[in-house]
Amino acid sequence: QGDAYPRELILYKSENLLDKGSGQGDLSEKAIIKYPGAIGENQTGSSTGGLEISNTSYLVAGNSVIQDEKNLERETRNIFVASVSQDLKQTEMNWLTSYQEGDGTVTTPHMVKLSDEKFMVLWSRGDAVYYTLVDGEGKKISEIYHHTGHLSDCRPVLENGNIYWYTVNGVSMNFYTI
């Protein structure tokens, strides 16, 4: 995710990394979101928090304001999962939320791989954690559920059929599970 060269969210793919000896291999790329604004403007109105691989796609979870000429004035972000074909030829944006501008915002999402074709996307909004399931193409396949709590920089993990994470507020540590 770059604010200058380029001002885009890009998925890079490197093939034959070990074969080349140079450490770079064959590098290819696919733009996911282009950010309007001046080169070097640090604000993009977007953040990225999850990258997983399904049988057919690379899945990128993030949040973003509406990316138009007013993107730097906007505050409300929505959750997306971008599905990029493994040959990097096609990208599909799957918007999981549709909050209206001024209706609060969301945190950077996490994504947990449950199987090769099922993933859970989690994000916070206010004092609640929201989560839903998406398929191997990043399409929502369940309702959006929520419960009181928070996410943190701690990446949620899958263990014995449950998803776990923790938060620390400087005084205490809280553990969560779904």
Side-chain angles (χ1 to χ4, degrees):
Q1 179 171 331
D3 62 0
Y5 301 104
R7 190 167 166 76
E8 297 173 321
L9 172 60
I10 294 180
L11 177 69
Y12 289 97
K13 181 177 180 179
S14 180
E15 303 271 349
N16 308 316
L17 189 61
L18 298 176
D19 295 340
K20 298 294 181 185
S22 68
Q24 288 189 338
D26 298 323
L27 189 63
S28 51
E29 64 184 60
K30 181 67 173 176
I32 297 171
I33 298 178
K34 295 182 185 243
Y35 303 121
I39 297 298
E41 168 61 52
N42 295 128
Q43 296 289 7
T44 61
S46 181
S47 64
T48 308
L51 173 65
E52 293 291 347
I53 302 173
S54 75
N55 285 334
T56 58
S57 303
Y58 299 111
L59 302 176
V60 179
N63 68 31
S64 183
V65 298
I66 295 170
Q67 294 294 333
D68 62 10
E69 67 281 349
K70 294 184 179 182
N71 69 322
L72 300 179
E73 300 170 22
R74 298 184 187 280
E75 295 182 6
T76 301
R77 297 179 184 206
N78 280 287
I79 300 295
F80 69 83
V81 175
S83 174
V84 180
S85 61
Q86 290 188 11
D87 62 6
L88 302 187
K89 291 185 178 179
Q90 297 180 0
T91 300
E92 183 174 346
M93 291 295 287
N94 299 289
W95 291 95
L96 304 183
T97 63
S98 57
Y99 303 118
Q100 297 299 309
E101 183 62 33
D103 188 24
T105 195
V106 297
T107 60
T108 303
H110 290 284
M111 188 166 29
V112 179
K113 186 173 189 169
L114 305 176
S115 72
D116 284 342
E117 291 301 314
K118 191 182 290 184
F119 305 81
M120 183 174 284
V121 180
L122 304 94
W123 65 93
S124 292
R125 184 171 188 249
D127 287 330
V129 173
Y130 291 78
Y131 54 97
T132 190
L133 296 175
V134 298
D135 65 15
E137 299 295 319
K139 293 182 173 91
K140 187 169 65 162
I141 58 172
S142 77
E143 298 294 320
I144 295 176
Y145 301 98
H146 70 279
H147 62 77
T148 302
H150 300 279
L151 289 172
S152 67
D153 289 340
C154 166
R155 184 174 189 261
V157 295
L158 178 65
E159 181 66 34
N160 295 324
N162 293 309
I163 296 173
Y164 298 95
W165 74 94
Y166 67 89
T167 61
V168 178
N169 67 10
V171 176
S172 63
M173 180 179 285
N174 295 305
F175 287 89
Y176 296 88
T177 187
I178 297 174

